[in-house]
Amino acid sequence: MYATPEQTNPARDGLEAAADQAIEACGGDAREAVKALLVASEFLENEIAELKAAVSKGYSRGRHVAQRDHKE
């Protein structure tokens, strides 16, 4: 008998457990869990943008373009 990839991948087990935990935190509603995760993701993206703007270009050795220098 061969083990399936799902049975031998601890990262996948952790991901499954995290998904179950997020759904449980939202009362078992998967749609509400997805909405909560999208809000959390947007919050973290905004935090990253603020941190990038606060870090000098010299300190980051040019690895990112500061928000104030970026033209759209």
Side-chain angles (χ1 to χ4, degrees), residues 21-42:
Q21 186 179 14
I23 293 169
E24 184 179 331
C26 291
D29 188 345
R31 184 176 176 81
E32 289 299 316
V34 169
K35 290 190 314 189
L37 292 171
L38 289 171
V39 168
S41 178
E42 183 177 352

Side-chain angles (χ1 to χ4, degrees), residues 41-63:
S41 178
E42 183 177 352
F43 172 79
L44 293 172
E45 287 177 7
N46 289 334
E47 288 286 310
I48 290 170
E50 288 178 19
L51 290 171
K52 281 184 175 182
V55 173
S56 72
K57 188 173 180 180
Y59 181 77
S60 67
R61 297 179 187 224
R63 284 183 236 150

Side-chain angles (χ1 to χ4, degrees), residues 6-20:
E6 294 82 20
Q7 293 172 338
T8 59
N9 189 343
R12 181 164 174 85
D13 291 341
L15 185 59
E16 291 292 329
D20 290 340

